[in-house]
Amino acid sequence: MNEPTKPSPYDAPVLYDLLFDSLDFDVPFWTEAARSAGGPVLEAACGTGRLLLPILRAGVEADGFDASGPMVRRLREKAASAGLPVRAEVADMRSFDMGRLYALVFCGFNGFAHCETPSDQAAFLRAAFRHLAPGGALVLHMSYPGPAYWSEPEGKAVLEHEAVRPGGGKVQLWDDRKKDPVAQRQESDVEIWELGPDGRPRAAHRFSTVQRWVYPFELELLFAAAGFARWDILGGFDGRPLRAPDDQMIARAFRA
């Protein structure tokens, strides 16, 4: 008998926030990008608002969408509690239609990797292009899938991230990855552990995810096919060139 399909971690937005809401390594970059865009901003795969809410607090007109209804509902609740008006929609990255144009469309924190095939990636880029005002930009943040990533041992869960839980204890994300280097695809069995103040497990939640990684030259071809006039791919949030396999990719594509 086949094991039942596990749910997505994006169906559990409270757990997701316990793990990731305190991450702020990229918040200054996206906030400044939004401020300097010169017009309204759209976040693709906005989740529960880890990036979108600080942008709204900075006084930028910004919308968001995500494929997960639970994540969007959580975002709306957080925005309402903070007194921030927000337009957040449930929509597919491949076919979203917000009905307006933006100076900046962005997708942070490896959200683009959830486009699981090259055709999915191309569909998202075409949809983003349609939503850009003349002179507007699409900006993506992606981890670079270097040789060390593909050679990691499989069949054993690794601790990918942990966060302190309010009131004591921790939340841990364990990831057992199965990788296909030819398809540039990763399938993960994910466990999120809630630990008490004594360090003992209180609850374990099991999920699964799929991601597809992309390389710079492939991404450049996708940008061209989607209609972008020019682009550049940087090696980090500090704007350095992409040179090392452990760099982060910041890809910017511009509409004429």
Side-chain angles (χ1 to χ4, degrees), residues 14-22 74 161-172 192-205:
V14 174
L15 274 176
Y16 183 92
D17 275 355
L18 286 172
L19 274 166
F20 295 117
D21 207 36
S22 61
R74 175 80 169 171
H161 181 68
E162 72 174 12
V164 175
R165 180 169 184 154
K170 293 181 179 180
V171 184
Q172 296 180 334
I192 298 177
W193 286 82
E194 298 183 74
L195 308 180
D198 58 1
R200 299 189 180 200
R202 299 289 177 85
H205 312 269

Short mmCIF file of all heavy atoms in Angstrom, two decimals, residues 14-22 74 161-172 192-205:
data_model
loop_
_atom_site.label_atom_id
_atom_site.label_comp_id
_atom_site.label_asym_id
_atom_site.label_seq_id
_atom_site.Cartn_x
_atom_site.Cartn_y
_atom_site.Cartn_z
N VAL A 14 0.32 28.80 10.99
CA VAL A 14 0.78 29.15 12.34
C VAL A 14 2.14 28.51 12.60
O VAL A 14 3.07 29.16 13.12
CB VAL A 14 -0.26 28.72 13.40
CG1 VAL A 14 0.28 28.95 14.80
CG2 VAL A 14 -1.56 29.48 13.20
N LEU A 15 2.30 27.25 12.24
CA LEU A 15 3.59 26.59 12.36
C LEU A 15 4.64 27.29 11.50
O LEU A 15 5.79 27.48 11.92
CB LEU A 15 3.49 25.13 11.94
CG LEU A 15 3.06 24.10 12.98
CD1 LEU A 15 2.94 22.74 12.33
CD2 LEU A 15 4.02 24.05 14.15
N TYR A 16 4.25 27.65 10.28
CA TYR A 16 5.16 28.33 9.37
C TYR A 16 5.67 29.62 10.00
O TYR A 16 6.87 29.92 9.97
CB TYR A 16 4.45 28.61 8.05
CG TYR A 16 5.33 29.25 7.01
CD1 TYR A 16 6.03 28.48 6.10
CD2 TYR A 16 5.46 30.65 6.92
CE1 TYR A 16 6.85 29.06 5.14
CE2 TYR A 16 6.27 31.23 5.97
CZ TYR A 16 6.96 30.44 5.08
OH TYR A 16 7.77 31.04 4.14
N ASP A 17 4.77 30.38 10.61
CA ASP A 17 5.18 31.63 11.25
C ASP A 17 6.09 31.38 12.44
O ASP A 17 7.04 32.15 12.69
CB ASP A 17 3.95 32.43 11.69
CG ASP A 17 3.39 33.28 10.56
OD1 ASP A 17 4.01 33.32 9.48
OD2 ASP A 17 2.33 33.90 10.76
N LEU A 18 5.82 30.34 13.22
CA LEU A 18 6.70 30.03 14.34
C LEU A 18 8.14 29.78 13.86
O LEU A 18 9.10 30.15 14.53
CB LEU A 18 6.18 28.82 15.10
CG LEU A 18 4.95 29.03 15.98
CD1 LEU A 18 4.44 27.70 16.51
CD2 LEU A 18 5.27 29.97 17.16
N LEU A 19 8.27 29.17 12.69
CA LEU A 19 9.58 28.88 12.15
C LEU A 19 10.25 30.10 11.52
O LEU A 19 11.43 30.36 11.74
CB LEU A 19 9.48 27.77 11.10
CG LEU A 19 9.54 26.33 11.59
CD1 LEU A 19 9.09 25.38 10.49
CD2 LEU A 19 10.95 25.97 12.06
N PHE A 20 9.49 30.84 10.71
CA PHE A 20 10.13 31.78 9.79
C PHE A 20 9.80 33.25 10.02
O PHE A 20 10.47 34.11 9.45
CB PHE A 20 9.75 31.42 8.34
CG PHE A 20 10.28 30.09 7.90
CD1 PHE A 20 9.41 29.07 7.56
CD2 PHE A 20 11.64 29.85 7.83
CE1 PHE A 20 9.88 27.83 7.13
CE2 PHE A 20 12.13 28.62 7.42
CZ PHE A 20 11.25 27.61 7.07
N ASP A 21 8.81 33.57 10.82
CA ASP A 21 8.39 34.96 10.90
C ASP A 21 9.48 35.87 11.47
O ASP A 21 9.50 37.07 11.20
CB ASP A 21 7.11 35.10 11.73
CG ASP A 21 6.29 36.31 11.33
OD1 ASP A 21 6.24 36.63 10.13
OD2 ASP A 21 5.69 36.94 12.22
N SER A 22 10.38 35.31 12.26
CA SER A 22 11.45 36.12 12.86
C SER A 22 12.64 36.31 11.92
O SER A 22 13.55 37.09 12.22
CB SER A 22 11.93 35.48 14.16
OG SER A 22 12.45 34.19 13.93
N ARG A 74 -4.11 33.94 6.93
CA ARG A 74 -3.24 34.33 8.04
C ARG A 74 -2.65 35.73 7.80
O ARG A 74 -2.58 36.55 8.72
CB ARG A 74 -2.12 33.30 8.18
CG ARG A 74 -1.05 33.61 9.20
CD ARG A 74 -1.48 33.30 10.60
NE ARG A 74 -0.34 33.36 11.52
CZ ARG A 74 -0.44 33.29 12.83
NH1 ARG A 74 -1.62 33.13 13.41
NH2 ARG A 74 0.63 33.36 13.59
N HIS A 161 16.39 24.26 9.84
CA HIS A 161 16.15 25.56 10.50
C HIS A 161 15.50 25.30 11.85
O HIS A 161 14.74 24.34 12.02
CB HIS A 161 15.24 26.42 9.63
CG HIS A 161 14.95 27.77 10.21
ND1 HIS A 161 15.92 28.75 10.34
CD2 HIS A 161 13.81 28.33 10.70
CE1 HIS A 161 15.40 29.82 10.88
NE2 HIS A 161 14.13 29.60 11.11
N GLU A 162 15.80 26.18 12.82
CA GLU A 162 15.09 26.15 14.08
C GLU A 162 14.89 27.56 14.59
O GLU A 162 15.65 28.49 14.25
CB GLU A 162 15.81 25.29 15.13
CG GLU A 162 17.07 25.86 15.70
CD GLU A 162 17.61 24.98 16.84
OE1 GLU A 162 17.15 23.85 17.03
OE2 GLU A 162 18.53 25.47 17.55
N ALA A 163 13.86 27.74 15.39
CA ALA A 163 13.52 29.05 15.93
C ALA A 163 13.05 28.88 17.36
O ALA A 163 12.49 27.85 17.74
CB ALA A 163 12.43 29.72 15.10
N VAL A 164 13.30 29.90 18.16
CA VAL A 164 12.84 29.91 19.55
C VAL A 164 11.33 30.15 19.56
O VAL A 164 10.81 31.00 18.84
CB VAL A 164 13.56 31.00 20.36
CG1 VAL A 164 12.99 31.08 21.77
CG2 VAL A 164 15.05 30.72 20.40
N ARG A 165 10.65 29.35 20.36
CA ARG A 165 9.19 29.49 20.45
C ARG A 165 8.84 30.47 21.56
O ARG A 165 9.39 30.39 22.66
CB ARG A 165 8.56 28.12 20.73
CG ARG A 165 7.06 28.18 20.84
CD ARG A 165 6.44 26.81 20.86
NE ARG A 165 4.99 26.92 20.88
CZ ARG A 165 4.18 26.01 20.41
NH1 ARG A 165 4.65 24.91 19.87
NH2 ARG A 165 2.88 26.17 20.46
N PRO A 166 7.91 31.42 21.32
CA PRO A 166 7.49 32.33 22.39
C PRO A 166 6.97 31.53 23.59
O PRO A 166 6.21 30.58 23.44
CB PRO A 166 6.36 33.14 21.73
CG PRO A 166 6.65 33.07 20.27
CD PRO A 166 7.25 31.71 20.04
N GLY A 167 7.43 31.91 24.77
CA GLY A 167 7.03 31.20 25.97
C GLY A 167 7.94 30.05 26.33
O GLY A 167 7.73 29.39 27.36
N GLY A 168 8.96 29.80 25.50
CA GLY A 168 9.92 28.75 25.82
C GLY A 168 9.85 27.59 24.85
O GLY A 168 8.82 27.29 24.26
N GLY A 169 10.96 26.93 24.65
CA GLY A 169 11.04 25.81 23.72
C GLY A 169 11.48 26.27 22.34
O GLY A 169 11.82 27.44 22.12
N LYS A 170 11.47 25.33 21.40
CA LYS A 170 11.91 25.60 20.04
C LYS A 170 10.98 24.93 19.04
O LYS A 170 10.22 24.03 19.38
CB LYS A 170 13.34 25.07 19.82
CG LYS A 170 14.41 25.79 20.62
CD LYS A 170 15.78 25.20 20.31
CE LYS A 170 16.87 25.93 21.08
NZ LYS A 170 18.21 25.36 20.78
N VAL A 171 11.08 25.40 17.81
CA VAL A 171 10.44 24.75 16.67
C VAL A 171 11.54 24.41 15.68
O VAL A 171 12.39 25.26 15.37
CB VAL A 171 9.38 25.65 16.01
CG1 VAL A 171 8.67 24.91 14.89
CG2 VAL A 171 8.39 26.16 17.04
N GLN A 172 11.57 23.17 15.21
CA GLN A 172 12.63 22.72 14.31
C GLN A 172 12.03 22.19 13.01
O GLN A 172 10.98 21.54 13.02
CB GLN A 172 13.45 21.60 14.96
CG GLN A 172 14.22 22.02 16.19
CD GLN A 172 15.02 20.88 16.78
OE1 GLN A 172 14.67 19.70 16.61
NE2 GLN A 172 16.10 21.21 17.48
N ILE A 192 8.16 19.00 11.11
CA ILE A 192 8.29 20.17 11.98
C ILE A 192 8.05 19.70 13.41
O ILE A 192 6.97 19.18 13.73
CB ILE A 192 7.31 21.28 11.59
CG1 ILE A 192 7.61 21.77 10.18
CG2 ILE A 192 7.40 22.45 12.58
CD1 ILE A 192 6.64 22.82 9.66
N TRP A 193 9.08 19.86 14.24
CA TRP A 193 9.03 19.42 15.63
C TRP A 193 8.81 20.62 16.55
O TRP A 193 9.48 21.64 16.42
CB TRP A 193 10.33 18.73 16.01
CG TRP A 193 10.48 17.36 15.42
CD1 TRP A 193 10.90 17.06 14.15
CD2 TRP A 193 10.21 16.12 16.05
NE1 TRP A 193 10.90 15.70 13.96
CE2 TRP A 193 10.49 15.09 15.12
CE3 TRP A 193 9.76 15.77 17.32
CZ2 TRP A 193 10.33 13.75 15.40
CZ3 TRP A 193 9.61 14.41 17.62
CH2 TRP A 193 9.88 13.43 16.67
N GLU A 194 7.88 20.47 17.48
CA GLU A 194 7.69 21.45 18.54
C GLU A 194 8.31 20.89 19.81
O GLU A 194 7.91 19.81 20.29
CB GLU A 194 6.21 21.74 18.76
CG GLU A 194 5.51 22.34 17.55
CD GLU A 194 4.06 22.67 17.84
OE1 GLU A 194 3.82 23.66 18.56
OE2 GLU A 194 3.18 21.91 17.38
N LEU A 195 9.31 21.59 20.34
CA LEU A 195 10.02 21.16 21.54
C LEU A 195 9.63 22.04 22.72
O LEU A 195 9.50 23.26 22.59
CB LEU A 195 11.53 21.24 21.32
CG LEU A 195 12.10 20.56 20.07
CD1 LEU A 195 13.61 20.75 20.02
CD2 LEU A 195 11.74 19.08 20.05
N GLY A 196 9.48 21.41 23.89
CA GLY A 196 9.17 22.16 25.10
C GLY A 196 10.41 22.83 25.66
O GLY A 196 11.53 22.63 25.18
N PRO A 197 10.25 23.63 26.72
CA PRO A 197 11.41 24.28 27.36
C PRO A 197 12.45 23.30 27.85
O PRO A 197 13.63 23.67 27.98
CB PRO A 197 10.77 25.04 28.53
CG PRO A 197 9.34 25.26 28.11
CD PRO A 197 8.97 24.05 27.32
N ASP A 198 12.04 22.06 28.11
CA ASP A 198 12.99 21.05 28.55
C ASP A 198 13.71 20.37 27.38
O ASP A 198 14.53 19.46 27.58
CB ASP A 198 12.28 19.99 29.40
CG ASP A 198 11.13 19.30 28.64
OD1 ASP A 198 10.90 19.64 27.45
OD2 ASP A 198 10.46 18.46 29.26
N GLY A 199 13.42 20.80 26.15
CA GLY A 199 14.05 20.23 24.97
C GLY A 199 13.42 18.96 24.46
O GLY A 199 13.86 18.39 23.46
N ARG A 200 12.36 18.50 25.12
CA ARG A 200 11.70 17.26 24.69
C ARG A 200 10.61 17.56 23.66
O ARG A 200 9.91 18.57 23.76
CB ARG A 200 11.08 16.56 25.89
CG ARG A 200 12.10 16.16 26.93
CD ARG A 200 11.49 15.28 27.99
NE ARG A 200 12.47 14.90 28.99
CZ ARG A 200 12.33 13.86 29.79
NH1 ARG A 200 11.25 13.11 29.73
NH2 ARG A 200 13.27 13.58 30.68
N PRO A 201 10.45 16.66 22.69
CA PRO A 201 9.41 16.88 21.67
C PRO A 201 8.01 16.86 22.27
O PRO A 201 7.69 16.00 23.09
CB PRO A 201 9.61 15.70 20.71
CG PRO A 201 11.00 15.21 20.96
CD PRO A 201 11.27 15.47 22.40
N ARG A 202 7.22 17.85 21.88
CA ARG A 202 5.83 17.92 22.29
C ARG A 202 4.88 17.49 21.16
O ARG A 202 3.79 16.99 21.42
CB ARG A 202 5.49 19.34 22.74
CG ARG A 202 6.31 19.81 23.95
CD ARG A 202 5.89 19.09 25.21
NE ARG A 202 6.70 19.46 26.37
CZ ARG A 202 6.47 20.52 27.14
NH1 ARG A 202 5.47 21.34 26.86
NH2 ARG A 202 7.24 20.77 28.18
N ALA A 203 5.30 17.75 19.91
CA ALA A 203 4.46 17.40 18.76
C ALA A 203 5.34 17.33 17.52
O ALA A 203 6.37 18.02 17.44
CB ALA A 203 3.34 18.42 18.56
N ALA A 204 4.96 16.48 16.57
CA ALA A 204 5.66 16.38 15.29
C ALA A 204 4.62 16.44 14.18
O ALA A 204 3.59 15.77 14.25
CB ALA A 204 6.45 15.08 15.21
N HIS A 205 4.90 17.23 13.16
CA HIS A 205 3.97 17.43 12.04
C HIS A 205 4.70 17.07 10.75
O HIS A 205 5.81 17.53 10.50
CB HIS A 205 3.50 18.88 12.00
CG HIS A 205 3.05 19.42 13.33
ND1 HIS A 205 1.75 19.34 13.76
CD2 HIS A 205 3.75 20.02 14.33
CE1 HIS A 205 1.65 19.90 14.96
NE2 HIS A 205 2.85 20.31 15.33
#
